[in-house]
Amino acid sequence: MPNVLKSLLQSPGIGTALGLVGITLAVVFYLRGRTTRRLAYQERSVRLIGGSRAALPNEVTVTYRGDAVPRLTQTTIVLWNAGNTSVSGSDIVGADPLRISLILDATIVEARVAQNTRIVNGVTVSLVPGQKNEALIDFDFLDSDDGAHIELLHTAESVAAVMHGTIRGFRNGCEFWGTIC
């Protein structure tokens, strides 16, 4: 057996092949071992009342805290840690908190966390005092693939929920990954 191994290693090109396999494995293990920090979100909106594409008939009216609501749209936002390392809520910069913004004439009438991957993540959503078109998002931490399903009820006519805020170590902030199918 040692003679077979010795003759195999002395064959032309075997050293080159082993070197290429080694380099390929080194690149693969390097790429898999890198830590990436990514916070991502997707959104989808459904008009419930008002307008031509409403899910309910125009005869249905809604009041919220005694005020008539001309339109009611439900926006679903899924926020998750798309990286492979934990994100701490303490990394959110206080001067520019993580928040969902709608167009200026919109009023968010309700914001809630509909579902968490884990309750221990402490994901919360709250309305911004004095800003009727924004909702703050906070969390204790999000491990890889942790996240939350957030629902907003609002009066926006044109719907485009955008995530704003600064998180330490995230050059691109919270990344938009398209609409929910």
Side-chain angles (χ1 to χ4, degrees):
M1 185 72 169
N3 288 339
V4 173
L5 185 60
K6 185 176 181 181
S7 65
L8 183 63
L9 290 175
Q10 290 176 346
S11 298
I14 199 73
T16 303
L18 287 174
L20 290 174
V21 168
I23 291 171
T24 303
L25 288 174
V27 169
V28 167
F29 287 123
Y30 167 75
L31 292 176
R32 292 189 80 203
R34 280 191 320 185
T35 57
T36 56
R37 294 175 48 112
R38 297 178 102 174
L39 202 57
Y41 75 100
Q42 291 182 296
E43 63 93 17
R44 180 182 64 159
S45 294
V46 175
R47 175 76 47 88
L48 301 175
I49 296 174
S52 61
R53 296 186 340 204
L56 298 174
N58 287 335
E59 291 78 23
V60 176
T61 60
V62 172
T63 60
Y64 183 76
R65 294 185 180 165
D67 295 327
V69 178
R71 282 173 302 285
L72 191 63
T73 302
Q74 179 187 41
T75 297
T76 300
I77 296 169
V78 178
L79 172 72
W80 75 98
N81 179 353
N84 62 7
T85 187
S86 294
V87 178
S88 174
S90 63
D91 289 337
I92 299 172
V93 176
D96 188 21
L98 191 59
R99 63 200 181 281
I100 303 165
S101 297
L102 301 173
I103 61 173
L104 287 176
D105 69 342
T107 299
I108 299 173
V109 294
E110 183 178 300
R112 72 184 188 97
V113 176
Q115 189 175 358
N116 286 322
T117 51
R118 296 187 301 162
I119 200 80
V120 71
N121 295 134
V123 179
T124 61
V125 61
S126 59
L127 300 178
V128 178
Q131 289 292 103
K132 61 183 184 160
N133 67 323
E134 290 188 336
L136 291 176
I137 298 174
D138 199 14
F139 53 85
D140 186 27
F141 71 98
L142 295 175
D143 284 336
S144 182
D145 295 327
D146 279 346
H149 170 170
I150 297 166
E151 289 182 353
L152 302 177
L153 289 177
H154 57 85
T155 64
E157 187 157 351
S158 65
V159 181
V162 179
M163 194 78 68
H164 295 286
T166 301
I167 304 169
R168 288 178 194 89
F170 288 77
R171 182 170 301 279
N172 297 328
C174 191
E175 300 176 22
F176 178 62
W177 282 20
T179 56
I180 301 169
C181 298

